[in-house]
Amino acid sequence: MPIIYHENHRLFEIRTARASYLFGVNDAGTLQHLYWGEPIHAEEAAELLKSRSHSSFDAAVDRETEEYGGWGGASYAEPGLKATFADGVRDVRLIYCGYTIEGADEDGEELAVHLEDAQYALRVELRYKPIHRHDLIERRAILRNGETSPVRIEQVMAALWSVGRLPDYRLTHVTGRWAGEYQLRSAPLTEGKKVLESRRGFTGPHANPWFALDDGSASETAGRVWFGALAWSGNWKLALERTTFGGIRIAGGVNDFDGAFALAEGETYASPVFVGGFAAGGFGDMSRKLHRYQREEIQPTRAPRKVLYNSWEATEFAVNVRDQLALAERAAKLGVERYVVDDGWFGERHSDRAGLGDWHVNAEKFPNGLEELIGAVKEQGMEFGLWVEPESVNPDSELFRRHPDWIYRFPTRDGTQLRNQYLLNLGKPEVKAFVLAFMTELLSNHDISFIKWDMNRTVTEPGGGESGADETASVWIRHVEHLYEIWAELRARFPHVEFETCAGGGARIDLGILRYADQAWISDNTDARDRLSIQEGFTYAYSPSVMMCWVTEAPNGFNGRSLPLSYRFHSAMMGGLGIGADIGRWSAEEMEAAARYVGVYKEIRHLIAEGDQYRLASLRESNIAAYQYVDADGGEAVVFAFLQAQSFGGTERRLRLRGLVPDALYEVRGDDGSPGFVRHGSTLMHLGVPLALRGDDVSWLLRVKRVDATAAN
Ligand code: GLA
């Protein structure tokens, strides 16, 4: 029974494996948040359930921690709901009017708390779905307009989270930009508001809808951390507000900026899911909860990622069947399982200036159609995959010449071109139908097992192009809803096809798109050292099981840095392994070494896909980065370690492992041919493993396997 209503105190208790979440209805009828943290006896928190006033200037202090509230009355904190009724009233007073519990067991129970405005038939249903074993709660808000006229919705958050009073608050989040995504930041929150958001039409590389909050003392391995992630791939907002009375509230949902829309009579709006959780064991504990949740509840498939080859960095737009056949032959020799042709195979796509929108195979590049290549790829035991960017159009394309009115545009303005392209208004039913139709044709006519779905520009001039029309700003919402519907439909029509989310690298990754995408391209930056920090930041919120990483050329184009092949492989083996180098130029020795790494990867990838990840050391703190992946019962692990630069002769370093069985015996062995040794789990975790790293930019892969009698049984 994870959800209990304590009638005598009007108190709701949501219980997960290692956390309690409590709120109730106070004497003023306000739905008040009470507690979130380690399990406690719920009824003993009832003493907190009371309205509080400080002065006429702060007449309703309890509303700063309102479980969900409208903008109305004496409430000034970031609201859950802001609306204007048809008669011009702009005051929302949500009154508690009951609850229902659906489902029966630990995995299926869901609480709906019903609120309604005091005068108007505007109803809000707050939904809470505990994900018991992961200590998470999925929340969302559902609005229903029972009025006989439309209500203008100016802000509707998926959830408001409050964290009980801490002496201090520290926010951890990610920031970045193209080719530099998922950079971690941590900073204290003083009184006021900190907003993380996207106004660009997609999730964006500059921020990601995930937060972690602690009192400033939590570490990777210890301390209390509260966190949440919003499942939305369009404009989003997380507002973290620390009040002068010491409370903190995190409001999250679709961004209200330019986001007002009319909710018609009888209409319903359901917010995206905002999942929140509590971890008592530091940031590592937090990430592992999120990873398991994604693997078990979100990801459409759970199998380890296939080793792929992608020809983008090798050929860019100069795609032709002869070169592709040669690359495919080389890829097969490396043990690649999925061969992917990137941009440049269609229409008049010889550069980024033309062809987007014309999704037919270029006959000059493939005189015998795609089948010649697909046949060869399959004959060599690989699957075939293809790149598409369905939401975009180049002005120089047949599609744009036929449908210039399909793009986002305001009637009196020229549209802004970014990367020489416009964005299609996917909210239009005819555009949605077009995308679904050409994708269906593509996947029906060719033996394609994988689609990399890209989006290479932000939204600008978000209008439908019609003049005078009261263009409701919900174009922002419709784009995302239609995108999700298209992906859902394609997955239903082609269940054997896997999908990758990509947006100029990692600009559209969130728990919304990850319900449809099997894997994610997290950055166009393939420099294996930069990748360590991008990948590390990514894993704070997202699972390594979906994180695609390629081995590319040395020197790498981004920084001009030359890293050894071993380093490039080790860095890329920490997620879904891909190869994106011009392997036509690799020497016999490089080919042989690469094939060996691919072989090792296939032996350990079940740990990447299903294991628990421990971040052992970070380049943010020292010149060593190390990450470990362990299976559920601590029977097997793999460790990747990287030394950035050695100086002053160096001293012997030891790396303490985690997640092993203390009394079990493990064999530890590198992939560099050095002799292995046997130690107890306790020794490996507390005394540590001597790190055999010397030099600059060197790396080590360590395999740890239980070898005692219990393991053999
Ligand atoms: C984006 C992607 C790249 C590649 C190019 C092709 O930048 O992130 O991986 O597919 O587009 O134009």
Side-chain angles (χ1 to χ4, degrees), residues 176-195:
R177 54 174 192 243
W178 176 76
E181 301 86 343
Y182 301 101
Q183 299 303 298
L184 270 184
R185 295 286 183 270
S186 273
L189 289 175
T190 52
E191 288 76 2
K193 203 184 285 181
K194 164 91 178 178
V195 176

Side-chain angles (χ1 to χ4, degrees), residues 305-608:
R305 300 292 91 225
K306 299 226 157 94
V307 178
L308 67 73
Y309 178 77
N310 180 300
S311 58
W312 172 244
E313 290 199 20
T315 69
E316 297 218 335
F317 297 99
V319 173
N320 66 63
V321 71
R322 193 195 59 236
D323 294 348
Q324 293 289 327
L325 285 169
L327 284 168
E329 203 185 316
R330 302 275 282 182
K333 290 201 176 104
L334 297 178
V336 164
E337 298 159 308
R338 175 179 281 164
Y339 184 85
V340 185
V341 178
D342 210 278
D343 200 349
W345 59 269
F346 53 91
E348 291 306 311
R349 188 74 168 163
H350 305 291
S351 72
D352 63 13
R353 310 196 75 83
L356 268 183
D358 301 339
W359 300 105
H360 47 80
V361 181
N362 181 300
E364 267 168 55
K365 298 180 177 187
F366 294 95
N368 305 314
L370 271 186
E371 269 43 55
E372 186 181 355
L373 177 60
I374 296 180
V377 162
K378 297 210 70 175
E379 235 166 67
Q380 295 174 89
M382 298 181 289
E383 286 181 352
F384 183 75
L386 209 53
W387 177 96
V388 291
E389 191 182 344
E391 294 148 272
S392 288
V393 64
N394 284 121
D396 186 1
S397 68
E398 291 159 31
L399 182 70
F400 186 73
R401 284 186 279 273
R402 260 201 329 270
H403 298 290
D405 53 331
W406 276 11
I407 61 167
Y408 284 114
R409 203 170 63 80
F410 289 123
T412 56
R413 306 273 182 215
D414 288 336
T416 303
Q417 287 185 38
L418 300 172
R419 208 193 190 205
N420 310 304
Q421 66 199 54
Y422 295 121
L423 212 57
L424 294 174
N425 181 347
L426 200 60
K428 282 182 189 269
E430 58 272 35
V431 175
K432 179 187 171 190
F434 161 77
V435 171
L436 199 52
F438 93 71
M439 284 301 297
T440 299
E441 206 183 307
L442 197 62
L443 294 173
S444 307
N445 294 347
H446 307 286
D447 192 350
I448 295 171
S449 314
F450 172 77
I451 288 290
K452 173 178 173 184
W453 184 302
D454 207 342
M455 184 201 194
N456 275 312
R457 57 155 294 169
T458 51
V459 179
T460 54
E461 300 89 22
E466 299 91 17
S467 59
D470 179 20
E471 181 74 48
T472 57
S474 60
V475 287
W476 295 110
I477 294 179
R478 277 207 309 271
H479 190 110
V480 182
E481 283 177 350
H482 280 184
L483 179 77
Y484 289 165
E485 284 163 24
I486 292 169
W487 280 51
E489 186 56 37
L490 290 174
R491 293 207 71 109
R493 288 184 191 172
F494 304 98
H496 63 284
V497 177
E498 292 193 353
F499 289 81
E500 177 170 277
T501 176
C502 170
R508 189 157 61 189
I509 304 173
D510 54 77
L511 293 181
I513 202 80
L514 288 176
R515 284 192 188 274
Y516 306 99
D518 303 272
Q519 59 189 55
W521 182 231
I522 71 161
S523 180
D524 280 347
N525 184 339
T526 57
D527 174 286
R529 168 116 72 78
D530 278 0
R531 267 296 183 131
L532 294 184
S533 85
I534 294 172
Q535 294 173 187
E536 181 177 294
F538 181 85
T539 66
Y540 268 65
Y542 302 108
S543 170
S545 58
V546 300
M547 175 176 86
M548 294 309 293
C549 318
W550 300 350
V551 174
T552 55
E553 293 301 327
N556 183 285
F558 277 98
N559 298 315
R561 185 182 286 136
S562 287
L563 293 164
L565 192 65
S566 51
Y567 191 113
R568 283 178 274 150
F569 264 98
H570 290 156
S571 170
M573 285 160 87
M574 295 195 291
L577 176 65
I579 297 171
D582 186 358
I583 50 177
R585 296 203 322 224
W586 276 7
S587 66
E589 293 75 47
E590 282 173 312
M591 288 293 287
E592 198 187 308
R596 203 173 58 241
Y597 288 118
V598 171
V600 172
Y601 179 72
K602 288 177 181 169
E603 288 171 21
I604 56 110
R605 68 175 157 187
H606 59 284
L607 299 170
I608 311 289

